[in-house]
Structure formats: C-alpha cells, structure tokens
Amino acid sequence: MRTTAKHKITNTEEFKQNLLSWAQQFDDVVWLDSNSKAFQDNQKYSSYDAILAVDAFTAIQTDYLNAFDKLKEYYTTTKDWIFGYLTYDLKNDTETLKSNNDDGLAFADLYFFQPKKIFLIKGDVLEIRYLKAVDDEFEADLKAICYCEDERRDNLLNETDNPVKIKLKIHKDEYFDKVTKVLSHIHRGDIYEANFCQEFYAENTTIDPLETYNKLNTISNAPFATFLKVRNNYLLSASPERYIKKEGTKVISQPIKGTAKRDPDYIMDSILKNDLVSDEKERSENIMIVDLVRNDLSQTATKGSVKVEELCEIYSFDQVHQMISTVVSEVKETTNPIDIIKTTFPMGSMTGAPKISAMKIIEDLEETKRGLYSGSVGYISPTGDFDFNVVIRSILYNEVKQYVSFSVGGAITAKSDPIKEYEECLVKAKAMRTVLEN
C-alpha cells in the first residue's frame, strides 16, 4: 500500500531540476520527462509531464532466458508500480536468436524495481506516492529537494573541461560494405527492410552522468527523455520515440521512420521538412513498419480494433524533423500487460521486416551487442497501464568499466543510398557527440 500526497509547485522547471539532483543519492533511479513545454503538440497520449521513481524496495534482474515469464511473475507478486528497462537482446527469449557481438557496457538483459518513492508531475501539481514503510520521510524529502538548488549551483561552478575522445566501431568504408550486404539480402527477397546500427564509444573515460544528461536534454528537448541509474550503470536519453503505451484497454504504438535535419534558416528548414513529407523512400520505410506494428498488436487485440490513427505525420524536434505514425488497438480488460509487451518486442522500428529475418541479418552484420540501445525504459502501474520509450539518441555509461557508448542506425530499404544512410547516422549522432566532445 502507498500513502499519497499532493502539492502545488510554483516553478515546475526549477523543481524538476532539483528533484533529479536530489535523486542522485539512490542506486535505483528512473526519471521520465516529456519536456511538455517544448512539445505541446506531442502530448496527446501523455499521462504525466514527468515521473521520478527512486530507491528499490524489491527488484528483478535477469538475463534473457524466460525473462518475460519472470517479469510477469514479479509484477503479479508485487501488485504495485514497477519501473525499469528491457534490452534489445530479450529477442532471444521470444525467438530462437542469439546476441554474441562485443559488449563493452555489460548491462543486465532486464531490470525492474518496485520503488519506495514515486513523484508524478502534471502541470503545477506534484503527486507523491510513498510505500507505507517510508511515508514518514515526506516532509524531510521535500525540504531536501528544495535545498538541491544550492547544490546544483555549486556543481555548475565546479565543472571542468573533460573532452571525450570518440571512436567508431565501424568505419566509413566498412559501413558502406555492410549496407551493401543488407541491400543484397533485400534484392534476394530475404527481407524488405532492416535497421542497421553502429556504435560510437570511448574507453577509459569518466563523465558526470547528471551533467551530461542535462546538457543532452537542453540540446534535444525530447518528449521521451530518460535518466536511468542502476547502481553504476547509466542511461542518458533524449529519445523522441514512444514504443508502446497502454491506457485502460487502449494500446498505442508510435513508430518513427524518416528523418531530416533541421536548419536555423526558417525557409531552408521548411524546405527540408517538405522534402521529408514527399520523400518516397522515407514514406515506404514508415509504412512497412506500420504494417509490422499492426501485425504485432493484432496478437493481443480484440477483433477488428487495430487502426492507424496517423500515417507518416511530421513532427519537428530541436535537432531533426521526424516522420511518425500512430497505431492503436483495443485489448480485453483481462489481458496481462506483459503479454502485450512480449508480443510486440523488440519494436519494429528498430528491427525491420520481416522481423525475425531482419534480426538475424542485423546480428551477423553489426559489430556490437545492442543491449539497452534500441531497448526500452518505462513503467507498469498497479492497474496494468504502462508507457515505454524507444532507447535511441542516448548515451550509455558503465561507471566501473569507464566505458561510454552511443549508437545510431537507419532503416535500409531497396531504395537506400549508402552515402545518404551514413549522413543520416551522423545527423542522429550529432547531439550525443556534441555533448560528449564539448
């Protein structure tokens, strides 16, 4: 059982900064920020402006083997809010697949925790939900959160330049060769599309996770931004993409396929946006994945309920224009939320079509185990509602191994030009690289 209290916030953005700074004392942290002020037009399905969950009361950590069954058992046992992540490599649980590529990060395949303390922000209202065992800490925590403003100011004054030297796991010529091999599979009819990814990394490197996240979030203002901490492992994410959400009996998936860079000149920016609208290759990418998502959702949907609410709509973010579709379905009230996630994971926008064949080809050609990249972070509520993002435009950090990583990718179709695909990867990598190198 949880004790609930509500408070008015006078300065929401300042309170959010203080709240996340205060959270750094805990080993388990999930911070989800919709950056609602920046994206009023992308908040149709947002339940909260920001959520913080901290301090594990119970937790589950496992490899991919029977991971979804273990998660279902854990959720059924706790009957409470749980927050955590799913790595891409859980594909090996749902299909006969493998993940044998190099892994510099070493995150567990799945991790969820039942937090002692949850903070839900909507507008100027803060809702706090504490487990009964710690509800006497309400007032002391609120005071400590307010005092974090001074601590944040001190941290800014103590910042030192610590540039990170980024290396590429796949160099340019090798990237072209690998994309050509993907195209060969497409021309043979093995697949229609594959999301091929590459890693940028730095070894023997230390970063300040919170400072890095704040810089990345300032640059990107993404609607599915995430700060995740599990002991010494961190995710600092500026994700623009929702993987899947459940609200009551409605399920919503919003795959992204199609990217164009932004330009500071309004006229040039409008041209780039209009070019994306009419780009036949980008539209075909998006439509293929929409078909895949429709098929995935149909596995748990009530008959005839899968619908496409938006097809190839353009959303503009600080760094890029994106082509986004919205696919919805209805499920029975008795449908277990874990079953909906299991039958749609990994998300089609990060795999390709047909999904299983694409994942096999990806594994053979990529040099890096994806891990949490192209996985998901989110929560499941006691009523079975949930919301999960897609882990892209993100920096991953293993503090013990002193390993920093970010990956980017793009959908390869029959109409792909390897040079343009490489340039698109550089556009997607820009924010992470800027934050780390500068």
Side-chain angles (χ1 to χ4, degrees):
M1 293 292 292
R2 291 186 179 271
T3 299
T4 301
K6 290 187 178 182
H7 293 265
K8 281 279 188 179
I9 308 171
T10 54
N11 186 327
T12 303
E13 291 306 309
E14 182 180 294
F15 183 84
K16 283 164 57 177
Q17 288 291 323
N18 291 348
L19 184 61
L20 187 52
S21 294
W22 168 83
Q24 301 308 302
Q25 66 186 290
F26 300 105
D27 285 336
D28 302 271
V29 179
V30 170
W31 168 256
L32 306 169
D33 191 350
S34 68
N35 284 300
S36 55
K37 284 192 174 182
F39 295 104
Q40 298 286 336
D41 62 340
N42 200 31
Q43 302 304 312
K44 180 179 178 182
Y45 287 117
S46 290
S47 300
Y48 305 100
D49 294 339
I51 302 177
L52 174 70
V54 297
D55 201 8
F57 181 63
T58 65
I60 176 175
Q61 176 175 306
T62 183
D63 61 14
Y64 68 85
L65 194 62
N66 298 320
F68 284 106
D69 289 342
K70 293 173 184 175
L71 179 61
K72 184 187 289 188
E73 182 181 356
Y74 175 68
Y75 174 68
T76 303
T77 301
T78 60
K79 298 178 182 177
D80 194 10
W81 293 79
I82 61 171
F83 290 74
Y85 70 75
L86 311 159
T87 66
Y88 172 79
D89 303 289
L90 293 179
K91 64 184 175 59
N92 306 332
D93 181 29
T94 58
E95 306 294 342
T96 308
L97 298 168
K98 59 185 180 179
S99 296
N100 294 329
N101 289 327
D102 183 55
D103 180 14
L105 288 160
F107 280 56
D109 289 338
L110 178 148
Y111 185 82
F112 276 82
F113 71 99
Q114 176 190 15
K116 294 178 184 175
K117 306 173 183 184
I118 303 172
F119 300 80
L120 307 165
I121 298 173
K122 187 71 174 179
D124 62 354
V125 177
L126 168 68
E127 185 175 331
I128 308 173
R129 300 186 181 185
Y130 277 30
L131 287 178
K132 289 281 190 180
V134 295
D135 63 7
D136 59 341
E137 299 174 18
F138 268 173
E139 298 303 325
D141 283 346
L142 280 175
K143 288 180 181 177
I145 290 164
C146 292
Y147 289 144
C148 275
E149 184 179 359
D150 294 331
E151 183 181 326
R152 286 196 297 110
R153 189 181 298 111
D154 291 341
N155 287 340
L156 289 171
L157 292 173
N158 292 330
E159 279 184 20
T160 57
D161 291 331
N162 184 27
V164 177
K165 187 176 181 181
I166 301 295
K167 295 187 282 188
L168 282 73
K169 193 73 76 170
I170 301 173
H171 290 276
K172 191 174 182 179
D173 289 343
E174 189 180 6
Y175 176 87
F176 292 155
D177 290 341
K178 288 176 178 287
V179 170
T180 300
K181 288 178 182 178
V182 176
L183 288 168
S184 296
H185 282 287
I186 292 171
H187 295 148
R188 283 204 303 267
D190 300 332
I191 52 172
Y192 306 113
E193 176 179 341
N195 193 285
F196 177 65
C197 301
Q198 59 176 318
E199 183 191 17
F200 297 71
Y201 69 103
E203 298 170 294
N204 302 315
T205 299
T206 59
I207 61 173
D208 181 324
L210 181 58
E211 177 192 330
T212 304
Y213 167 78
N214 284 333
K215 287 181 177 178
L216 183 62
N217 195 42
T218 298
I219 289 174
S220 301
N221 271 313
F224 300 100
T226 302
F227 180 98
L228 176 139
K229 175 186 178 184
V230 180
R231 293 178 289 280
N232 298 304
N233 291 340
Y234 293 86
L235 166 72
L236 321 168
S237 178
S239 174
E241 183 172 358
R242 170 179 277 124
Y243 154 44
I244 197 166
K245 177 181 173 74
K246 178 178 176 287
E247 196 170 50
T249 57
K250 186 171 185 176
V251 179
I252 305 105
S253 183
Q254 295 183 292
I256 290 179
K257 271 287 160 273
T259 304
K261 66 181 180 180
R262 299 294 307 266
D263 194 283
D265 179 78
Y266 176 79
I267 294 175
M268 189 65 210
D269 193 57
S270 298
I271 292 171
L272 290 167
K273 183 177 180 179
N274 289 331
D275 286 347
L276 180 59
V277 172
S278 57
D279 190 310
E280 187 179 340
K281 182 258 181 185
E282 303 280 24
R283 289 184 66 86
S284 66
E285 277 184 25
N286 197 296
I287 291 167
M288 284 184 208
I289 298 307
V290 166
D291 286 342
L292 190 157
V293 171
R294 289 173 62 202
N295 182 66
D296 284 350
L297 290 179
S298 69
Q299 295 184 64
T300 55
T302 56
K303 188 175 181 180
S305 69
V306 179
K307 293 181 173 58
V308 180
E309 281 193 351
E310 293 180 309
L311 185 64
C312 300
E313 290 291 322
I314 306 300
Y315 287 77
S316 296
F317 303 94
D318 285 5
Q319 295 287 312
V320 291
H321 300 293
Q322 299 277 196
M323 188 179 285
I324 303 177
S325 293
T326 300
V327 188
V328 301
S329 68
E330 290 286 333
V331 295
K332 294 178 180 178
E333 289 185 4
T334 54
T335 303
N336 191 293
I338 312 299
D339 290 334
I340 301 169
I341 296 167
K342 181 179 180 179
T343 53
T344 57
F345 193 85
M347 62 291 300
S349 62
M350 296 306 296
T351 56
K355 186 186 275 190
I356 297 172
S357 297
M359 288 191 289
K360 288 178 179 178
I361 291 167
I362 287 166
E363 174 67 23
D364 288 340
L365 292 175
E366 291 179 354
E367 297 292 331
T368 305
K369 179 181 176 180
R370 289 195 184 178
L372 187 47
Y373 171 69
S374 73
S376 185
V377 175
Y379 67 86
I380 308 174
S381 78
T383 61
D385 287 351
F386 57 72
D387 203 359
F388 286 86
N389 71 358
V390 178
V391 178
I392 52 175
R393 319 293 161 80
S394 301
I395 296 168
L396 290 152
Y397 178 45
N398 184 316
E399 189 174 33
V400 173
K401 297 183 72 173
Q402 296 186 327
Y403 191 91
V404 178
S405 168
F406 64 90
S407 295
V408 293
I412 311 302
T413 68
K415 295 178 181 178
S416 289
D417 177 342
I419 295 175
K420 289 183 178 179
E421 295 295 340
Y422 190 77
E423 290 172 349
E424 182 179 313
C425 284
L426 295 182
V427 169
K428 292 175 178 176
K430 183 180 177 183
M432 288 89 73
R433 191 157 197 165
T434 299
V435 165
L436 291 171
E437 292 189 333
N438 298 312

